[in-house]
């Protein structure tokens, strides 16, 4: 059985907890006589000016501490598990799940499928609603946790059951009604599968979801990602150029209909659709403040706009050219390659001392249909850069690495790549300004 309470990892030097004698290794049992399910209960319960805190010391002795403090003042504790609970795994078997399309032998955490509504608020994860109890919904409403990001796929109950391989998936859609009625802001996602939830089904889904406006602030439509590891999985086919143009036409038609009514374009196509359709990216105003950046909606437009602004500033502060050539290389996925190449050429033209090689890495690891830089592996980058003229530095986008670490998806480290290529590797943040600064060596 799971032992009650939450183990304290450390206490802040000048914090209330340390002043009250709370130490690392102690276990927080209750606040105001209530046990805490997770960090949301904790944050809610410590707000008051007077609280009673029950602590179990490492020797098993229990202390009941009476604490007077400012309203909202933190106690100054860090827990061993910052979430204060276990993550909830997904109970679906979605026909489009990318985790099911990964090869064996990768690190264990990459195979964990989360479907935790709390992570939707904390980290922006999308949830299917199938793993959410009435208790979870009541807590979200009570604590006003928003926005909640929902992976809808379709509003056709029968089709949703089929797509998620869960007989409760259709009924779960009704949970969005409760969030709408309570005014909990939502964002939505539709993973579009060719011949499954596109065309008439997509039309129906957008029409139904528009009924949640303006509480449901945005919905993104993203094409299903298909790796080469699909043996035994539901047969899905990639979208064609004509398909992409059809999807965009439908989305643009709905944007034109909804914007005059709500001041929101609401339904958005991810960048892949425009590239596949060979159509121009929308202007910045069409993205409603970039509500769906993490889904690749407007990421390229934002990058290009930031780049233009940063380039003008850099040109205005241009230093004299001493005639020394500066050679470096940029790495990106095939999806963004034409845009990164164009930006590099603009930099070369503006700064005559620059020579920039741009490499669009083919994803041999997951398959050529996977074109985003965030799913590139160290081994593919190494293999395709080996023996090339790389110059003095190689610049990689930060999304190729595990969050907060210098490790690729395949567990190769940046240092190992540097050693293999015999060149310095720098990591570039995602903005256009960081792109310009990194190339000029200003970061």
């Amino acid at each position: 059985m799971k032992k009650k309470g939450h183990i304290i990892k450390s206490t802040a030097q000048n914090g209330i907890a340390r002043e009250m004698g709370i130490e690392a290794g102690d276990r927080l049992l209750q606040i105001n006589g209530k046990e805490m399910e997770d960090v949301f209960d904790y944050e809610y319960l410590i707000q008051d000016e007077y609280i009673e805190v029950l602590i179990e010391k490492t020797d098993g002795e229990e202390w009941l501490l009476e604490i007077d403090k400012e309203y909202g003042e933190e106690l100054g504790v860090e827990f061993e598990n910052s979430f204060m609970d276990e993550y909830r795994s997904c109970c679906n078997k979605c026909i489009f799940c990318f985790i099911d399309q990964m090869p064996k032998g990768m690190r264990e955490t990459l195979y964990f499928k989360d479907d935790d509504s709390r992570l939707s608020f904390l980290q922006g994860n999308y949830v299917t609603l199938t793993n959410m109890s009435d208790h979870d919904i009541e807590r979200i409403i009570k604590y006003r946790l928003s926005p909640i990001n929902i992976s809808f796929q379709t509003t056709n109950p029968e089709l949703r059951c089929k797509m998620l391989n869960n007989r409760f998936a259709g009924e779960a859609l009704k949970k969005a009604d409760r969030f709408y009625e309570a005014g909990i802001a939502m964002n939505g996602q539709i993973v579009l599968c060719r011949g499954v939830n596109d065309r008439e089904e997509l039309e129906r889904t957008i029409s139904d979801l528009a009924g949640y406006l303006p509480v449901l602030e945005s919905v993104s439509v993203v094409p299903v990602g298909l790796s080469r590891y699909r043996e035994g999985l539901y047969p899905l086919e990639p979208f064609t150029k004509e398909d992409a143009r059809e999807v965009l036409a439908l989305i643009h038609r709905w944007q034109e209909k909804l914007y005059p009514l709500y001041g929101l374009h609401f339904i958005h196509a991810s960048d892949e659709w425009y590239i596949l359709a060979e159509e121009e990216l929308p202007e910045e105003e069409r993205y409603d403040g970039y509500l769906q950046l993490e889904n690749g909606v407007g990421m390229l437009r934002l990058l290009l706009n930031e780049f233009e602004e940063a380039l003008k500033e850099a040109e205005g502060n241009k230093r004299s050219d001493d005639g020394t050539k500066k050679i470096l290389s940029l790495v990106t996925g095939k999806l963004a390659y034409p845009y990164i190449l164009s930006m590099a050429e603009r930099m070369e033209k503006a700064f005559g001392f620059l020579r920039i090689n741009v490499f669009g890495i083919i994803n041999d690891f997951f398959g050529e249909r996977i074109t985003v830089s965030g799913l590139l592996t160290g081994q593919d980058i190494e293999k395709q850069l080996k023996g090339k003229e790389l110059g003095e530095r190689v610049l990689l986008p930060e999304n190729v690495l595990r969050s907060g670490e210098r490790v690729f998806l395949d567990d190769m480290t940046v240092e190992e790549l540097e050693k293999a290529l015999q060149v310095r590797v720098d990591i570039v943040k995602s903005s256009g300004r960081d792109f310009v600064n990194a190339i000029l060596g200003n970061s």
Side-chain angles (χ1 to χ4, degrees), residues 192-195 198 223-224 237-241 243-244 247 273 276:
L192 208 63
C193 299
R194 189 169 186 246
D198 55 350
V224 61
E237 294 295 326
F239 286 94
T240 65
K241 176 180 175 179
D243 293 330
V247 168
W273 294 112
L276 180 58

Side-chain angles (χ1 to χ4, degrees), residues 15-231:
I16 294 173
R18 187 171 296 190
E19 290 179 7
M20 299 299 293
I22 299 173
E23 302 171 300
D26 291 349
R27 189 181 293 269
L28 174 62
L29 299 179
Q30 294 179 354
I31 294 179
N32 295 338
K34 297 178 181 177
E35 296 178 0
M36 287 144 287
E37 184 176 329
D38 55 32
V39 67
F40 298 116
D41 286 335
Y42 170 76
E43 291 292 346
Y44 179 77
L45 290 169
I46 66 168
Q47 295 301 307
D48 291 340
E49 295 174 349
Y50 171 81
I51 58 175
E52 295 182 353
V53 177
L54 182 63
I55 293 289
E56 181 184 271
K57 303 296 288 182
T58 53
D59 62 2
E61 184 179 357
E62 292 187 1
W63 290 6
L64 182 62
L65 306 173
E66 299 179 349
I67 298 176
D68 290 298
K69 62 181 187 63
E70 298 293 328
Y71 181 83
E73 185 180 1
E74 296 283 341
L75 297 183
V77 299
E78 180 182 356
F79 295 96
E80 284 196 355
N81 179 347
S82 59
F83 191 50
M84 299 176 71
D85 195 16
E86 300 299 322
Y87 295 143
R88 296 174 188 168
S89 61
C90 183
C91 58
N92 306 310
K93 186 71 174 174
C94 299
I95 63 173
F96 51 83
C97 180
F98 194 79
I99 293 177
D100 289 339
Q101 301 179 64
M102 293 204 302
K104 296 178 180 178
M106 302 183 76
R107 62 179 177 274
E108 187 176 344
T109 53
L110 290 177
Y111 300 103
F112 179 75
K113 304 177 186 181
D114 78 76
D115 194 18
D116 197 318
S117 58
R118 299 167 298 180
L119 293 182
S120 181
F121 173 72
L122 286 174
Q123 300 176 8
N125 296 19
Y126 280 77
V127 295
T128 66
L129 303 178
T130 60
N131 206 30
M132 190 181 293
S133 66
D134 287 339
H135 172 66
D136 296 326
I137 294 172
E138 288 163 4
R139 294 179 78 234
I140 289 169
I141 294 172
K142 174 184 178 182
Y143 296 152
R144 310 302 298 175
L145 302 179
S146 67
I148 293 297
N149 299 322
I150 301 172
S151 202
F152 286 104
Q153 318 324 347
T154 177
T155 54
N156 178 335
E158 294 76 19
L159 179 58
R160 195 168 196 259
C161 291
K162 173 185 174 182
M163 292 188 70
L164 273 61
N165 272 310
N166 185 327
R167 62 192 178 96
F168 302 108
E171 187 72 16
L173 286 168
K174 295 179 180 178
K175 296 171 185 177
D177 295 339
R178 294 187 61 183
F179 294 136
Y180 174 76
E181 291 160 4
I184 299 296
M186 297 177 281
N187 292 299
Q189 171 187 264
I190 298 169
V191 177
L192 208 63
C193 299
R194 189 169 186 246
V196 180
N197 61 335
D198 55 350
R199 299 190 172 182
E200 294 82 5
E201 289 293 347
L202 178 59
E203 183 87 48
R204 168 182 172 163
T205 297
I206 296 174
S207 178
D208 290 344
L209 293 180
Y212 289 118
L213 270 161
V215 178
L216 178 60
E217 298 174 338
S218 70
V219 176
S220 62
V221 180
V222 300
V224 61
L226 302 175
S227 84
R228 62 188 181 93
Y229 300 99
R230 290 198 56 83
E231 185 177 351

Side-chain angles (χ1 to χ4, degrees), residues 1 8 19 35 88 101 124 137 210 223 259 304 345-347 367 399 413 433:
M1 291 180 62
I8 294 168
E19 290 179 7
E35 296 178 0
R88 296 174 188 168
Q101 301 179 64
I137 294 172
Y259 185 76
L304 293 171
E345 290 172 346
R346 293 277 307 282
M347 291 288 291
N399 65 351
T413 66
R433 183 171 300 278

